[in-house]
């Protein structure tokens, strides 16, 4: 991964008096031509942590580029651009601590006339050493920085940075500020010891809660000593019935929560062989009979200090849960309801995926255009999204309301359908966002106060501050705007507490379009 990313600026709001001075060309050294285009665009780039100027940062205005001087200042003379896309880059800095925030800033001529203040965030550093239990440095070990993020449907761990240990076992991973877990992968044959290196994580994989993660701020460095288990491997012979023959995807979850993806080879007769280090594991195997059916087996084994055989995998069908689409009778019959596949339905497992991401089950379909979930036994949360004029009004599974309760899939469960009721009876919302008193482009979030398949709704106001939500389900919402993208699980109690003075409540009724004006949270108030 590159040591730095192409960076984008953050425009801070200016006072209304500054706008007035700019419009008249007084006191700021910028004149506006009769066409309304400022002939001079100026500003400075500062370190978001220290507020010190950043010298030799590359600032781009559309196709033009300049470097900042020793005071972090820049200027574009003879400007002829009516609208501008501002970007800034500097090795060792990021544009935003938010994951996935591209940060492109599009400004109109009136905004270009105001001296710009652009903030860059110093990279954080995760450093350390990987050692065998006896203290021997392990070289060539891949260490991943997994970031805890929320993507409107589930919290997951995503790889953001990666490093490889040197001859001293040392690693160095630059990352944006955020919440992380450091982890190593399973190495079947380590070049240092010649033995297997088991996966290792800090905090442990069992600490799925983001509150148990490593929290690092911009400009900080955290150092860690990782000591994974190192062990020779032994052959494990697995028996299965004649009907179970075929390709098996086998994984082994170690007692510390780490997952080992193992390769299987054919043994004698109906036996399959895998290699595992000494220890206790939960083996999970999956067979795909065809596109409509799958079988799974799970067993716990203990591998001693020698080869073993006779491990038995007993396969059983993965429950196939059908879905039904029901259209609310009060819906607008002039609008054709979309198919189930367009609602982005997913079952998110409560069991976190130790290799990153989450254990989600997507929608499957048969040739007759019926839909189903192939969901192994467990607890799941149903999530989906609105599509066009339609939204998910309710979701039920027997007596369970899946908008308020988890779906519990028991072994052998099948036949009972999930009933998805959709409606086009919606309302809308409009308004204006201001940042420090001035209309501004910002991210607007609506968080349903009641049951909903969609955790939140988001849009971006334009450079004049105007925003619009169409086709919102009726109900009550909390609304908030941020200068920069701010992806969190807003349904978590207290998620809006630090910004209570910026949040507002609104009720949407069918056919209504109320107006709600918001005061955005400045980027400087969101501590990186």
């Amino acid at each position: 991964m590159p040591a730095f990313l192409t960076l984008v600026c953050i425009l801070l709001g200016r006072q209304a008096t500054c706008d007035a001075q700019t419009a008249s060309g007084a006191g700021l050294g910028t004149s506006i031509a009769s066409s309304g285009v400022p002939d001079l665009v100026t500003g400075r780039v500062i370190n978001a942590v220290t507020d010190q100027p950043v010298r030799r940062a590359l600032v781009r205005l559309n196709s033009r580029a300049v470097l900042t001087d020793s005071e972090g200042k820049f200027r574009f003379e003879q400007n002829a651009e009516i609208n501008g896309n501002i970007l800034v880059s500097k090795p060792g800095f990021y544009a935003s601590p938010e994951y996935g925030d591209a940060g492109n800033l599009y400004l109109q001529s009136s905004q270009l006339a105001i001296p710009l203040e652009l903030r860059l965030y110093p990279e954080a550093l995760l450093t350390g050493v990987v050692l065998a239990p006896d203290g021997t440095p392990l070289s060539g070990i891949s260490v991943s920085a997994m970031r805890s993020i929320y993507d409107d449907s589930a919290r997951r761990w995503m790889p953001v940075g990666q490093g490889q240990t040197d001859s001293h076992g040392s690693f160095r991973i630059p990352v944006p500020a955020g919440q992380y877990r450091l982890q190593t992968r399973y190495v079947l044959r380590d070049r240092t010891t010649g033995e297997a290196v088991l996966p290792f994580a800090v905090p442990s994989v069992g600490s799925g809660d983001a509150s148990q993660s490593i929290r690092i701020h911009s400009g900080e460095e955290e150092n860690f000593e990782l000591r994974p288990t190192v062990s020779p491997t032994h052959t494990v012979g697995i028996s299965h019935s004649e009907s179970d023959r075929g390709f098996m995807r086998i994984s082994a979850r170690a007692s510390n929560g780490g997952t080992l993806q193992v390769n299987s080879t054919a043994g004698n007769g109906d036996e399959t062989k895998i290699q595992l280090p000494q220890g206790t594991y939960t083996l999970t195997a999956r067979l795909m009979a065809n596109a409509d059916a799958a079988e799974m087996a799970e067993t716990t084994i203990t591998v001693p200090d020698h080869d073993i055989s006779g491990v038995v995998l007993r396969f059983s069908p993965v429950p196939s849960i059908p879905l039904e689409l029901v259209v609310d009778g009060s819906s607008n019959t002039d609008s054709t309801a979309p198919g189930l596949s367009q609602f982005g339905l997913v079952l998110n497992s409560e069991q976190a995926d130790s290799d990153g991401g989450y254990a989600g089950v997507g929608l499957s379909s048969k040739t007759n255009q019926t839909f189903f979930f192939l969901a192994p036994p467990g607890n799941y949360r149903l999530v989906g999204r609105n599509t066009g004029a339609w939204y998910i009004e309710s979701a039920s599974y027997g007596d369970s309301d899946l908008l308020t309760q988890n779906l519990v899939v028991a072994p052998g469960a099948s036949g009972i359908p999930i009933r998805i009721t959709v409606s086009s009876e919606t309302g809308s919302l409009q308004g204006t966002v201001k940042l420090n008193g001035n209309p501004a482009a910002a991210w607007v979030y609506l968080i349903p106060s009641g049951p909903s398949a969609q955790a939140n709704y988001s849009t971006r106001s334009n450079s004049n501050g105007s925003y619009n939500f169409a086709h919102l389900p009726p109900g009550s919402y909390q609304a908030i705007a941020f200068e920069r993208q701010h992806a969190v699980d807003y349904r978590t109690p207290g998620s809006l507490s630090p910004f209570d003075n910026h949040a507002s409540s609104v009720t949407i009724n069918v056919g209504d379009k109320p107006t709600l004006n918001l005061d955005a949270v400045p980027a400087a108030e969101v501590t990186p």
Side-chain angles (χ1 to χ4, degrees):
M1 178 176 179
F4 65 96
L5 303 176
T6 299
L7 308 173
V8 290
C9 72
I10 296 176
L11 174 65
L12 299 182
R14 312 298 292 179
Q15 298 178 353
T17 54
C18 181
D19 286 338
Q21 289 176 337
T22 301
S24 63
L28 294 178
T30 300
S31 62
I32 301 180
S34 58
S35 62
V37 177
D39 60 7
L40 178 64
V41 177
T42 65
R44 68 173 186 146
V45 179
I46 65 170
N47 184 313
V49 174
T50 65
D51 285 335
Q52 295 299 307
V54 179
R55 64 184 297 272
R56 297 192 65 79
L58 182 66
V59 183
R60 295 183 182 274
L61 171 61
N62 294 339
S63 60
R64 302 174 64 189
V66 295
L67 291 172
T68 57
D69 61 19
S70 59
E71 296 180 338
K73 295 180 179 180
F74 63 89
R75 58 193 290 127
F76 290 93
E77 298 179 343
Q78 299 179 339
N79 175 62
E81 304 287 353
I82 298 176
N83 300 308
N85 178 30
I86 302 288
L87 302 98
V88 59
S89 61
K90 172 76 176 181
F93 289 85
Y94 293 92
S96 169
E98 291 294 338
Y99 178 82
D101 182 8
N104 289 331
L105 189 63
Y106 299 96
L107 305 179
Q108 295 185 335
S109 57
S110 60
Q111 296 168 307
L112 291 173
I114 303 171
L116 307 176
E117 190 170 84
L118 315 179
R119 301 169 69 89
L120 292 179
Y121 295 84
E123 65 186 12
L125 287 175
L126 297 171
T127 62
V129 63
V130 181
L131 305 174
D134 63 0
T136 302
L138 296 176
S139 62
I141 300 295
S142 178
V143 183
S144 296
M146 309 293 292
R147 180 164 179 165
S148 174
I149 68 164
Y150 185 80
D151 67 352
D152 294 344
S153 64
R155 182 164 292 283
R156 64 182 71 191
W157 293 96
M158 295 291 290
V160 172
Q162 184 170 307
Q164 192 170 58
T165 58
D166 60 18
S167 59
H168 303 287
S170 300
F171 64 89
R172 179 184 184 275
I173 307 175
V175 293
Q179 294 173 307
Y180 291 90
R181 181 175 73 211
L182 283 175
Q183 69 180 41
T184 63
R185 292 185 177 274
Y186 177 52
V187 180
L188 183 59
R189 291 284 188 273
D190 175 58
R191 65 189 185 190
T192 301
T193 65
E195 299 179 330
V197 179
L198 273 67
F200 187 83
V202 177
S204 63
V205 170
S207 303
D209 186 351
S211 64
Q212 301 298 315
S213 59
I214 301 165
R215 184 69 172 94
I216 188 167
H217 299 277
S218 289
E220 291 184 346
E221 179 177 347
E222 294 281 351
N223 189 268
F224 301 88
E225 183 178 281
L226 310 183
R227 286 183 177 257
T229 298
V230 176
S231 172
T233 61
H234 306 284
T235 299
V236 177
I238 301 173
S239 299
H240 48 87
S241 66
E242 184 75 17
S243 61
D244 294 330
R245 279 196 170 189
F247 173 76
M248 288 191 298
R249 183 178 184 272
I250 303 177
S251 65
R253 186 179 295 274
S255 55
N256 68 355
T259 299
L260 290 64
Q261 295 296 336
V262 295
N263 295 322
S264 59
T265 58
N268 297 323
D270 297 330
E271 190 177 63
T272 295
K273 293 184 177 181
I274 62 174
Q275 296 288 320
L276 285 175
Q278 184 175 351
T280 299
Y281 304 90
T282 299
L283 290 184
T284 302
R286 183 176 179 121
L287 282 172
M288 288 298 297
N290 52 59
D292 298 343
E295 294 184 348
M296 290 191 70
E298 188 172 279
T299 188
T300 300
I301 64 169
T302 297
V303 180
D305 59 355
H306 54 79
D307 297 349
I308 61 172
S309 61
V311 175
V312 178
L313 288 178
R314 303 188 185 281
F315 285 87
S316 59
V318 175
S320 176
I321 304 173
L323 283 87
E324 293 180 355
L325 179 66
V326 178
V327 176
D328 188 316
S330 61
S331 296
N332 182 357
T333 55
D334 293 335
S335 180
T336 303
L340 275 169
S341 61
Q342 295 173 263
F343 286 96
L345 294 166
V346 175
L347 293 179
N348 284 341
S349 174
E350 296 298 300
Q351 172 66 55
D353 182 350
S354 62
D355 289 329
Y358 63 96
V361 178
L363 203 61
S364 299
S365 64
K366 298 182 179 180
T367 54
N368 61 0
Q369 291 302 301
T370 58
F371 293 89
F372 62 97
F373 286 118
L374 278 177
N379 289 349
Y380 299 88
R381 180 161 61 90
L382 177 71
V383 297
R385 63 174 181 268
N386 288 1
T387 177
W390 295 84
Y391 74 97
I392 298 172
E393 183 180 52
S394 66
S396 60
Y397 181 69
D399 295 331
S400 298
D401 178 359
L402 298 186
L403 298 189
T404 60
Q405 300 170 273
N406 281 354
L407 170 65
V408 179
V409 180
S414 224
I416 301 176
I418 295 175
R419 179 168 293 180
I420 305 294
T421 302
V422 299
S423 173
S424 62
E425 295 288 288
T426 62
S428 304
L429 180 68
Q430 63 185 358
T432 300
V433 179
K434 290 187 176 182
L435 179 65
N436 296 331
N438 299 312
W443 288 92
V444 183
Y445 297 91
L446 285 181
I447 304 98
S449 300
S452 174
Q454 189 162 329
N456 64 70
Y457 303 84
S458 63
T459 190
R460 186 162 169 80
S461 61
N462 62 26
S463 56
N464 292 323
S466 298
Y467 73 89
N468 178 71
F469 285 99
H471 308 303
L472 288 172
S476 298
Y477 296 84
Q478 287 289 305
I480 192 167
F482 288 87
E483 181 184 8
R484 305 305 302 163
Q485 192 173 1
H486 191 67
V488 299
D489 187 354
Y490 290 103
R491 292 184 295 190
T492 301
S495 61
L496 293 179
S497 297
F499 317 108
D500 278 345
N501 58 327
H502 294 274
S504 299
S505 298
V506 64
T507 298
I508 307 296
N509 296 311
V510 174
D512 289 349
K513 190 173 186 177
T515 297
L516 179 65
N517 298 324
L518 298 169
D519 177 28
V521 179
E525 290 187 19
V526 183
T527 304

